[in-house]
């Protein structure tokens, strides 16, 4: 047994790193329990490998991919340079109904998926926080934009988000570093979209890459982006935000953090007398040796599906349905973003122009649908992400051609091509749900999650419109559409799982209150994607960060006031 | 000894080496694939006709066929390897060896066009691998594509000649 901590933090990923930083900077002694191995940037990052140095031309052997990475390998960024950051599906199984596939894309190591993310960072607005209340789907968020705005400021300033101020009510501006801007063809696209479509805007993506370095970032050893676009391999310059480059080093500087890798948290244990969280049960991932950690409060940051799994597995006599689950909402309302609805089009002109450097960012088209009542046959909205770039030699591989002339024609850059992909809001449905598989345990003795999740009518209608709107934009501008699909990928592929431990006003219909604190167990918090009451259509991690920082500050106050 | 090792021993004892490939989960025990010299020569011929020397170097100068050979050995599944090897043995492609370059170019061009018409996935894969072996090679990337590992800056709009200069 290992005690003497003020707080236990389960998971060192995007949200757990923030909790560690905020609690330690306020003087709390914390232990971060991380199921994965430690990450050493000097040996674990492959950002200095030239493309030709990567084994098998950066392709994972087919038999290995099929055997060990059946799910992860369906994600385009799974390759030789990044392989070591993805979980082996063969070692970390979960089940789904046969007819409802769910792609659970994960990384188990210090830093979690903050090492792997695409860094797109957008604020939610009151249009999002009020949506459930307005149209009756799910329950009302217990907070509004004004509650989170100062915390968005706080996390953006520390993390470093590049972007432009646009004055859009549906996508509030923030504390931005200078943008990683549009190229000339994207700028032309932006100008023409604004002219042709009322209320539509194309803006530079807002991304967590340091386009310039502030004092705080410098003090953590972070450097400016070198425009290699190898972020997914880990960045030796610490130029993109991750727990490893930013929050964990800040927590470490306080001297108050103990980080324990290879620690698989199995359940939260409670004090039978008070019903409060007393600590967690842990199994060492390598030796399988069990341990118990105790503390004055517990933060769950193991990501949406796993935090629900841990609480469900913590059922006891007083809480037979799972801990903190008097509402029966734990594990329910699983959401992801509609993903994979993409459009590609050839753009003529600008043949004498190109770009220099590899920008780790693209363009963004903020939500423009259902901002007012438009009479559409679905609720909520979507944005698009993508870019316009010149094709490279690979353009030669999908059409006939061989020989000298063909070869020489591939030497320079090819034509410009637009590629955009919609990110659509998914509604919370009680039947989209994570439960424990009663028959199967993983190698550490934890019942594996059973994930049941499907899109509904609203999602299907929205998917069609995402595709139709993208095509319309291209056609109206005279771009030649070469690819277009209107069917969303299986849920999970958006890698934005959320909602399984939702916040709400009413303890009868939600798991957490306005401070990410369990309604049932006051010293238990969850600030990962599980907490989200609705999904909005913006990439969610920035909101997890802001919620984490806000909840941490509040928890410290409660502790100091003797309330927990 | 686990069951798989036991089976393997048993198979070896009775001389049924061919059955080893049918043993589930045994692929790691197979001898590494090594390409026969005649197959390698055909692959090299396909490469030099597909991506010949022009004013710049060609596939044979960067051993693109050697790259494909390595991928067939180390990346391809048994199934993919079988498909690629049978394609390399296709009489139309074998025939390239006996033709002069002009004839071989015309023949491969025809084969390639027909393959796209029929959506011949194996040919598309072989072509992609050969292209990766050539265009992805260190020499191509450094001398022609002017690849920079650390660009250090982003310029959103450059005149093409300036970029080339
Ligand atoms: C390729 C990719 C691109 C993405 N792009 C974007 C983007 O552009 N914008 C955006 O907003 N989001 C993006 N995301 C999503 C983003 O990474 C996640 O939203 C975010 O990391 C979730 O934070 P988290 O703290 O909930 O979970 P994670 O970051 O996944 O961290 C969870 C941690 O908990 C650990 N853990 C799990 N189970 C246990 C246990 N039982 N005991 C102890 N530890 C445990 C894990 O090992 C992990 O380290 C992307 C993700 C991927 C993979």
């Amino acid at each position: 047994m290992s005690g003497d901590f003020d707080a236990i933090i389960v998971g060192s990923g995007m949200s757990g790193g923030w909790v560690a930083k905020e609690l330690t900077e306020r003087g709390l002694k914390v232990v971060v329990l991380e199921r994965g191995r430690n990450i050493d940037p000097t040996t674990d990052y492959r950002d200095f490998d030239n493309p030709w140095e990567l084994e098998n031309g950066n392709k994972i052997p087919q038999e290995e991919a099929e055997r060990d990475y059946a799910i992860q390998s369906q994600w385009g960024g799974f390759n030789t340079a990044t392989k070591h950051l993805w979980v082996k599906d063969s070692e970390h199984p979960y089940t789904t109904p046969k007819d409802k596939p769910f792609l659970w894309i994960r990384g188990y190591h210090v830093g979690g998926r903050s090492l792997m993310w695409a860094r797109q960072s957008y604020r939610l607005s009151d249009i999002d926080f009020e949506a459930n209340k307005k149209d009756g789907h799910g329950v009302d968020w217990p907070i509004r934009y004004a509650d989170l705005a100062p915390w968005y400021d706080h996390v953006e300033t520390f993390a470093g988000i590049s972007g432009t101020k646009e004055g859009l009510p549906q996508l509030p501006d923030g504390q931005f570093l200078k943008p990683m801007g549009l190229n000339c063809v994207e700028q032309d696209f932006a100008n023409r979209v604004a002219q042709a479509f009322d209320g539509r805007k194309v803006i530079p993506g807002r991304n967590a890459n340091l386009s310039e370095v502030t004092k705080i970032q410098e003090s953590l050893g972070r450097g400016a982006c070198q425009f290699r676009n190898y972020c997914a391999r880990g960045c030796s310059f610490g130029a993109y935000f991750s727990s490893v480059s930013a929050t964990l080093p800040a927590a470490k500087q306080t001297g108050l953090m103990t980080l324990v890798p290879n620690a698989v948290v199995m359940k939260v244990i409670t004090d039978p007398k008070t019903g409060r969280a007393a600590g967690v049960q842990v199994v060492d991932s390598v030796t399988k040796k069990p341990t118990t950690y105790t503390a004055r409060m517990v933060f769950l940051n193991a990501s949406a599906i796993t935090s629900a799994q841990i609480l469900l597995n913590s059922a006891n006599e007083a809480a037979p349905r799972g801990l903190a689950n008097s509402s029966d909402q734990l594990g329910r309302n699983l959401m992801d973003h509609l993903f994979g609805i993409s459009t590609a089009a050839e753009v003529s002109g600008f043949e004498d122009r190109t770009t220099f450097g590899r920008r780790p960012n693209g363009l963004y088209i903020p939500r423009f649908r259902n901002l007012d009542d438009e009479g559409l046959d679905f609720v909520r909205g979507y944005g698009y992400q993508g870019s316009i770039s010149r094709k490279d030699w690979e353009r030669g591989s999908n059409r006939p051609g061989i020989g000298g002339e063909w070869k020489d024609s591939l030497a320079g850059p090819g034509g410009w091509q637009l590629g955009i992909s919609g990110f659509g809001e998914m509604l919370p449905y009680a039947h989209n749900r994570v439960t424990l598989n009663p028959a199967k345990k993983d190698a550490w003795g934890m019942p594996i999650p059973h994930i049941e999740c499907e899109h509904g009518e609203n999602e299907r209608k929205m998917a069609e419109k995402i595709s139709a709107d993208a095509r319309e934009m291209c056609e109206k501008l005279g771009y030649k559409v070469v690819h277009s699909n209107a069917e969303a990928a299986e849920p999970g592929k958006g890698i934005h799982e959320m909602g399984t431990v939702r916040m709400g006003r009413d303890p009868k219909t939600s798991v957490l209150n306005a401070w990410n604190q369990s309604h049932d167990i006051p010293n238990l918090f969850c600030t990962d994607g599980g907490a989200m009451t609705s999904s909005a259509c913006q990439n969610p991690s920035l909101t997890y960060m802001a919620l984490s920082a806000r909840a941490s500050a509040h928890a410290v106050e409660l502790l100091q006031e003797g309330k927990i | 000894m686990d069951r798989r090792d036991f089976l393997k021993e048993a198979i070896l004892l009775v001389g049924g080496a061919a059955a080893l490939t049918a043993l589930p989960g045994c692929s790691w025990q197979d001898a590494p694939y090594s390409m026969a010299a005649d197959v390698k020569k055909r692959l090299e011929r396909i490469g030099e006709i597909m991506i010949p020397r022009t004013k710049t170097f060609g596939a044979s100068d960067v051993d693109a066929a050697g790259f494909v050979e390595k991928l067939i050995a180390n990346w391809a599944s048994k199934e993919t390897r079988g498909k690629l090897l049978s394609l390399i043995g296709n009489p139309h492609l074998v025939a390239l060896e006996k033709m002069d370059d002009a004839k071989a170019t015309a023949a491969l061009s025809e084969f390639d066009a027909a393959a796209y018409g029929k959506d011949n996935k194996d040919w598309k894969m072989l072509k992609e691998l050969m292209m990766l072996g050539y265009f992805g090679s260190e020499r191509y990337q450094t001398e022609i594509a002017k690849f920079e590992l650390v660009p250090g800056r982003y310029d959103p709009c450059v005149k093409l000649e300036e970029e080339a200069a």
Side-chain angles (χ1 to χ4, degrees):
Chain A
M1 176 132 128
S2 202
D4 200 25
F5 294 106
D6 293 315
I8 290 167
I9 300 162
V10 182
S12 65
M14 194 80 78
S15 62
W18 270 101
V19 177
K21 165 181 154 16
E22 298 296 317
L23 294 183
T24 53
E25 286 180 350
R26 288 174 175 76
L28 266 55
K29 196 171 157 200
V30 310
V31 60
V32 180
L33 301 171
E34 165 54 55
R35 76 167 301 150
R37 66 194 173 94
N38 209 353
I39 286 284
D40 177 357
T42 56
T43 49
D44 285 315
Y45 294 172
R46 298 199 62 179
D47 53 334
F48 281 109
D49 287 11
N50 282 296
W52 56 86
E53 290 167 339
L54 297 164
E55 303 87 318
N56 299 316
N58 209 17
K59 293 170 185 285
I60 308 290
Q62 290 180 311
E63 275 158 12
E64 184 186 357
E66 199 177 313
R67 184 184 61 228
D68 287 333
Y69 300 94
I71 302 289
Q72 312 304 308
S73 60
Q74 295 182 47
W75 178 258
F78 173 77
N79 54 42
T80 308
T82 63
K83 187 183 97 180
H84 56 300
L85 296 177
W86 307 83
V87 297
K88 276 191 177 172
D89 295 303
S90 53
E91 288 175 3
H92 300 286
Y94 62 95
T95 49
T96 66
K98 270 212 176 68
D99 57 339
K100 293 181 193 167
F102 183 92
L103 301 184
W104 193 15
I105 313 273
R106 291 168 284 168
Y108 289 168
H109 40 252
V110 167
R113 288 176 295 182
S114 75
L115 272 185
M116 307 152 78
W117 71 316
R119 308 159 309 281
Q120 292 294 304
S121 302
Y122 302 97
R123 292 184 178 205
L124 269 55
S125 78
D126 267 336
I127 294 171
D128 305 305
F129 289 112
E130 286 166 5
N132 282 5
K133 185 166 187 207
K134 239 176 171 167
D135 62 29
H137 294 280
V139 296
D140 189 18
W141 276 88
I143 55 171
R144 289 293 181 261
Y145 180 67
D147 297 305
L148 213 48
W151 295 100
Y152 276 130
D153 286 345
H154 176 72
V155 296
E156 284 165 348
T157 305
F158 178 80
I161 311 290
S162 89
T164 47
K165 297 210 191 245
E166 303 286 347
L168 297 170
Q170 71 273 37
L171 194 77
D173 291 330
Q175 306 298 321
F176 299 137
L177 304 175
K178 69 181 181 198
M180 294 190 171
L182 303 178
N183 64 42
C184 33
V185 188
E186 292 168 339
Q187 190 56 57
D188 182 65
F189 175 59
N191 298 343
R192 294 172 61 198
V193 166
Q195 251 168 28
F197 297 90
D198 236 9
R200 251 179 248 191
K201 231 173 168 179
V202 179
I203 66 172
R206 295 173 177 173
N207 63 329
N209 291 71
L210 299 183
S211 54
E212 53 192 319
V213 189
T214 65
K215 280 248 155 56
I216 350 181
Q217 289 140 7
E218 209 175 78
S219 73
L220 295 166
R222 301 184 61 193
C225 177
Q226 299 300 310
F227 295 95
R228 301 174 298 168
N229 199 17
Y230 287 156
C231 317
R233 304 180 184 182
C235 180
S236 302
F237 298 95
Y240 73 88
F241 172 85
S242 71
S243 299
V244 179
S245 69
T247 44
L248 294 175
K252 196 171 166 200
Q253 280 181 359
T254 65
L256 292 170
M257 174 182 71
T258 306
L259 173 63
V260 187
N262 302 324
V264 186
V265 173
M266 311 288 284
K267 48 175 84 169
V268 176
I269 46 177
T270 50
D271 178 338
K273 279 196 251 109
T274 59
R276 290 156 49 99
V280 296
Q281 244 177 48
V282 170
V283 168
D284 185 290
S285 70
V286 183
T287 64
K288 310 242 165 106
K289 205 179 128 228
T291 343
T292 303
Y293 284 84
T294 57
R296 296 162 77 192
M297 56 185 184
V298 174
F299 268 80
L300 290 176
N301 296 94
S303 85
I305 291 171
T306 312
S307 288
Q309 179 198 14
I310 291 171
L311 288 175
L312 289 167
N313 194 42
S314 309
N316 58 31
E317 240 169 67
R321 268 198 307 230
L323 204 62
N325 192 21
S326 64
S327 64
D328 192 29
Q329 292 302 314
L330 181 64
R332 295 186 185 274
N333 312 300
L334 175 62
M335 299 168 276
D336 181 30
H337 281 138
L338 282 186
F339 184 76
I341 305 158
S342 54
T343 303
E346 286 171 358
V347 181
S348 52
F350 298 96
E351 272 88 16
D352 62 339
R353 302 285 155 158
T354 187
T355 54
F356 177 84
R358 296 182 295 276
R359 178 190 58 177
N361 191 28
L363 58 81
Y364 189 64
I365 307 178
R367 173 174 164 184
F368 51 84
R369 287 292 177 203
N370 286 331
L371 296 175
D372 304 307
D373 188 8
E374 289 192 74
L376 293 169
D377 60 354
F378 60 89
V379 296
R380 317 288 172 105
Y382 42 86
Y384 296 88
Q385 285 167 40
S387 63
I388 305 180
S389 55
R390 293 200 83 143
K391 289 186 267 188
D392 63 12
W393 58 265
E394 287 177 47
R395 68 188 182 276
S397 68
N398 53 15
R399 59 189 165 95
I402 60 123
E405 254 176 62
W406 168 80
K407 173 196 124 181
D408 289 340
S409 76
L410 297 175
W416 292 91
Q417 181 155 311
L418 165 137
I420 54 174
S421 180
F423 281 72
E425 174 157 5
M426 183 176 168
L427 295 174
Y429 300 108
H431 61 265
N432 281 341
R433 180 174 192 196
V434 177
T435 51
L436 298 180
N437 186 319
K440 287 190 183 147
K441 288 188 173 170
D442 66 18
W444 299 272
M446 179 93 153
I448 65 172
H450 180 72
I451 305 174
E452 190 158 354
C453 189
E454 62 183 341
H455 293 138
E457 216 26 50
N458 199 65
E459 286 72 31
R460 274 187 285 278
K461 286 177 178 157
M462 183 187 286
E464 275 171 30
K465 193 71 176 158
I466 291 175
S467 182
D469 277 346
R471 262 179 292 141
E472 191 196 8
M473 276 187 274
C474 292
E475 281 157 7
K476 205 154 179 180
L477 268 50
Y479 296 1
K480 186 178 158 214
V481 174
V482 292
H483 164 86
S484 149
N485 69 292
E487 205 183 320
E490 299 91 328
K493 205 168 183 189
I495 329 186
H496 295 159
E497 328 86 63
M498 47 188 142
T500 47
V501 195
R502 76 176 171 198
M503 296 166 77
R505 297 174 190 272
D506 184 351
K508 289 202 196 70
T509 57
S510 59
V511 184
L512 306 170
N513 69 13
W515 301 98
N516 296 74
Q517 179 185 20
S518 155
H519 289 298
D520 299 350
I521 301 179
N523 66 338
L524 177 67
F525 296 79
C526 172
T527 68
D528 58 29
M532 300 287 281
T533 315
S534 72
S535 72
C537 67
Q538 298 88 321
N539 308 53
S541 301
L542 187 75
T543 300
Y544 305 171
M545 298 188 212
L547 287 172
S548 296
R550 178 175 178 269
S552 302
H554 186 68
V556 174
E557 280 169 19
L558 292 176
L559 206 61
Q560 283 162 350
E561 291 164 11
K563 290 189 181 150
I564 53 172
Chain B
M1 187 190 294
D2 69 19
R3 188 176 157 273
R4 205 167 41 197
D5 283 338
F6 171 76
L7 278 173
K8 191 183 163 212
E9 289 249 351
I11 290 165
L12 289 174
L13 276 174
V14 298
L20 276 179
T21 54
L23 202 59
C26 271
S27 58
W28 55 275
Q29 288 163 328
D30 296 346
Y33 169 79
S34 115
M35 190 173 271
D38 58 333
V39 180
K40 177 75 191 288
K41 268 184 72 190
R42 280 178 210 147
L43 195 57
E44 282 170 349
R45 182 66 180 153
I46 294 169
E48 91 191 341
I49 298 301
M50 184 192 293
I51 307 173
R53 250 176 232 166
T54 54
K55 56 187 190 295
T56 55
F57 55 87
S60 57
D61 299 302
V62 296
D63 193 20
F67 173 85
V68 178
E69 177 190 4
K70 274 196 212 127
L71 261 73
I72 289 178
N74 303 325
W75 164 76
S77 65
K78 222 172 265 161
E79 191 191 342
T80 302
R81 186 184 302 151
K83 286 180 178 170
L84 290 172
L85 291 177
S86 104
L87 174 69
I88 297 166
N90 181 305
H92 291 287
L93 297 176
V94 174
L96 301 178
E97 284 182 296
K98 301 253 153 57
M99 299 176 187
D100 65 24
D101 286 0
K103 277 222 177 79
T105 305
L108 188 63
S109 190
E110 198 178 312
F111 183 87
D112 175 70
Y116 276 85
K118 287 188 298 222
D119 194 24
N120 179 338
K121 297 209 165 56
D122 300 339
W123 170 250
K124 286 185 187 171
M125 185 190 295
L126 184 67
K127 183 166 155 184
E128 260 173 47
L129 296 180
M130 191 67 81
M131 288 177 74
L132 184 57
Y134 175 73
F135 293 102
S137 67
E138 177 172 4
R139 184 162 172 207
Y140 187 90
Q141 283 298 311
T142 48
E143 288 180 24
I144 297 179
K146 305 272 189 270
F147 173 79
E148 302 222 24
L149 188 59
V150 187
R153 66 187 170 88
Y154 177 68
D155 191 333
C157 197
V158 196
K159 272 245 168 146
L160 203 50
E161 311 85 77
E162 287 171 20
E163 157 75 350

